């Protein structure tokens, strides 16, 4: 039985590449021909009315048995289409909106929500599932096109062991990173090619505003900033708290990362997240316009908001459920709290300025 497996590692979603140009066309062709069938979806005799297709990013994962239980209860067969990461996902939805790749979507985040809504790829749907009331606070607009399913904070992480061994006080704020004592200590991912990199760029725009963020990045650059292409390059190669071989004790990662650095036989993580440096990502689900099975798509949205799925999200997708009624893993409650005040940028502003912000960032940081 084919399964969807997670590309996330050590508590961080692996969403490193935003498709552009030729890659978009290639991904479209691939998505049209490569669907992963779940459960009994391998039966070619299944009629369209019995099948519901979820279009999602390549980090989607749920624990074994959850989708099968949904299929048994609903009488539907679930098929999964994964055209790429979160950025690729929205690009594909826009390119195929007249003949959508599926019925429902999961994984559009708040960096791309307005683009999907404005392009008309979504049909309004208001879920009555248990977590829907909690999800309402994250709605990108009042169209009812997208419903929040999970959230996560992109934050700087520090190697506490490194700072203790070097007798140095670690940074706490974005402003601290420009100080001489933190020269050559920070590694981040490229805002033009990685979703955490884009999220961190948005954090600085939220923190310093239109008039200040470019100057801030200039200061980071002058203080020895290193930019790499992917999260795995940053965390596993350059970060001293990842593989233990890197030289930089400050890295761009997630608020959920520290619990995964508890050493074998240890009782505490060796890293921590700087919760005053975060940008909150919100992942949404919705019904696709022109879907062949819109009723099934609505059931899938409800399923993602069910208590069972919401409780599974931390362990399977390393994000925080929107539901306030499910219990987080004990280690998350202790070592992976969300930021009390993450930096924010309105989805409409992101949609209007994203490309120009990335171009300006590239001119400053990578030339």
């Amino acid at each position: 039985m084919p399964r969807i497996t997670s590309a996330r590692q050590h508590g961080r979603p692996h969403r490193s590449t935003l498709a552009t140009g030729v890659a978009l066309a290639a991904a479209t062709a691939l998505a049209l021909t490569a669907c992963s069938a779940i459960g009994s979806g391998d039966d070619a005799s299944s009629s369209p009315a019995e099948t519901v297709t979820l279009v999602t990013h390549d980090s989607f994962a749920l624990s074994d048995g959850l989708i099968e239980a949904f299929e048994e209860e609903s009488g539907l067969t679930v098929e999964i289409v994964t055209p790429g990461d979160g950025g690729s996902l929205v690009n594909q939805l826009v390119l195929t909106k007249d003949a959508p790749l599926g019925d429902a979507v999961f994984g559009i985040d708040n960096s791309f929500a307005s683009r999907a809504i404005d392009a008309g790829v979504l049909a309004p749907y208001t879920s009555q599932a248990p977590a829907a009331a909690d999800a309402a606070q994250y709605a990108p607009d009042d169209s009812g096109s997208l419903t929040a399913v999970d959230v996560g904070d992109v934050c700087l992480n520090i190697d506490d062991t490194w700072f203790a061994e070097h007798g140095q006080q670690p940074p706490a704020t974005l402003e601290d990173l420009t100080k001489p004592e933190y020269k050559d200590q920070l590694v981040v991912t490229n805002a033009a090619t990685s979703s955490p990199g884009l999220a961190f760029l948005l954090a600085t725009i939220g923190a310093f505003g239109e008039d200040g963020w470019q100057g801030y990045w200039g200061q980071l650059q002058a203080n020895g900033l290193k930019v790499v292409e992917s999260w795995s390059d940053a965390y596993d190669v350059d970060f001293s708290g990842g593989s233990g071989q890197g030289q930089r004790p400050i890295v761009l990662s997630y608020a959920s990362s520290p619990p995964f650095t508890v050493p074998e036989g240890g009782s505490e993580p060796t890293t921590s997240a700087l919760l005053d440096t975060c940008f909150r990502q919100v992942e949404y689900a919705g019904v696709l316009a022109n879907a062949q099975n819109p009723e099934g798509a609505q059931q899938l949205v409800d399923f993602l908001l069910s208590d069972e799925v919401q409780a599974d999200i931390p362990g399977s997708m390393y994000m925080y459920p929107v539901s306030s009624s499910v219990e987080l893993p004990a280690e998350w409650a202790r070592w992976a709290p969300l930021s009390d005040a993450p930096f924010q940028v309105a989805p409409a502003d992101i949609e209007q300025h994203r490309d120009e912000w990335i171009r300006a960032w590239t001119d400053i940081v990578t030339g």
Side-chain angles (χ1 to χ4, degrees):
M1 180 184 299
R3 302 299 305 168
I4 297 297
T5 56
S6 177
R8 304 182 193 221
Q9 300 175 349
H10 309 298
R12 274 77 54 178
H14 175 71
R15 301 172 185 170
S16 60
T17 305
L18 303 180
T20 57
V22 175
L24 287 179
T28 303
L30 177 63
L32 289 170
T33 59
C35 298
S36 296
I38 299 299
S40 59
D42 294 333
D43 183 357
S45 64
S46 295
S47 67
E50 297 173 332
T51 300
V52 60
T53 300
L54 177 66
V55 188
T56 186
H57 53 57
D58 53 13
S59 296
F60 176 77
L62 291 176
S63 293
D64 288 346
L66 280 176
I67 290 179
E68 290 84 352
F70 169 74
E71 290 180 319
E72 183 175 352
E73 180 178 351
S74 66
L76 295 165
T77 295
V78 178
E79 294 185 350
I80 309 292
V81 173
T82 56
D85 73 350
S88 301
L89 172 64
V90 175
N91 288 332
Q92 299 313 311
L93 295 178
V94 173
L95 289 172
T96 62
K97 67 178 182 178
D98 294 329
L101 301 176
D103 304 299
V105 59
F106 166 73
I108 297 173
D109 75 7
N110 48 324
S111 298
F112 289 93
S114 291
R115 182 181 182 197
I117 293 170
D118 292 346
V121 303
L122 299 156
Y125 173 61
T126 301
S127 175
Q128 300 300 315
D134 292 322
Q137 65 182 302
Y138 301 109
D141 63 7
D142 58 3
S143 69
S145 299
L146 288 170
T147 302
V149 172
D150 60 39
V151 301
D153 284 347
V154 175
C155 312
L156 295 176
N157 279 219
I158 58 171
D159 180 355
D160 293 305
T161 300
W162 187 96
F163 281 101
E165 290 176 349
H166 287 76
Q168 184 178 355
Q169 182 71 23
T173 67
L174 292 174
E175 289 86 352
D176 285 345
L177 300 173
T178 65
K179 296 178 180 178
E181 55 262 42
Y182 303 113
K183 185 175 178 62
D184 298 328
Q185 293 187 6
L186 173 62
V187 56
V188 303
T189 50
N190 193 320
T193 59
S194 81
S195 56
L198 175 58
F200 186 57
L201 168 58
L202 295 174
T204 64
I205 293 170
F208 301 107
E210 283 278 11
D211 296 329
W213 74 266
Q214 295 187 45
Y216 175 74
W217 279 95
Q219 291 178 290
L220 290 183
Q221 182 76 347
N223 208 35
L225 171 71
K226 184 172 184 178
V227 177
V228 296
E229 291 305 303
S230 71
W231 173 86
S232 59
D233 287 336
Y235 202 95
D236 291 331
V237 177
D238 289 292
F239 182 44
S240 60
S243 65
Q245 302 301 312
Q247 301 299 311
R248 293 182 176 243
I250 311 171
V251 67
L252 180 63
S253 196
Y254 295 81
S256 58
S257 300
F260 296 87
T261 66
V262 178
E264 186 174 356
S267 60
E268 295 186 0
T270 60
T271 66
S272 58
L274 303 182
L275 297 181
D276 289 332
T277 68
C278 303
F279 181 82
R280 182 153 300 165
Q281 286 185 317
V282 182
E283 291 190 310
Y284 298 98
V287 176
L288 292 174
N290 304 312
Q292 292 189 14
N293 189 354
E295 293 81 10
Q298 293 173 6
Q299 291 182 63
L300 264 182
V301 173
D302 293 345
F303 167 65
L304 293 171
L305 292 169
S306 66
D307 289 341
E308 293 78 10
V309 172
Q310 288 288 296
D312 187 64
I313 282 172
S316 62
M317 290 194 282
Y318 306 104
M319 297 285 276
Y320 299 78
V322 294
S323 174
S324 61
S325 63
V326 302
E327 186 174 352
L328 289 172
E331 62 270 21
W332 280 49
R334 183 176 180 184
W335 292 314
L338 287 167
S339 172
D340 289 333
F343 295 110
Q344 300 182 41
V345 180
D349 290 339
I350 296 173
E351 176 59 24
Q352 182 177 356
H353 299 291
R354 180 175 52 244
D355 291 345
E356 67 181 78
W357 286 339
I358 291 174
R359 285 194 298 270
W361 179 90
T362 300
D363 289 342
I364 296 166
V365 176
T366 66

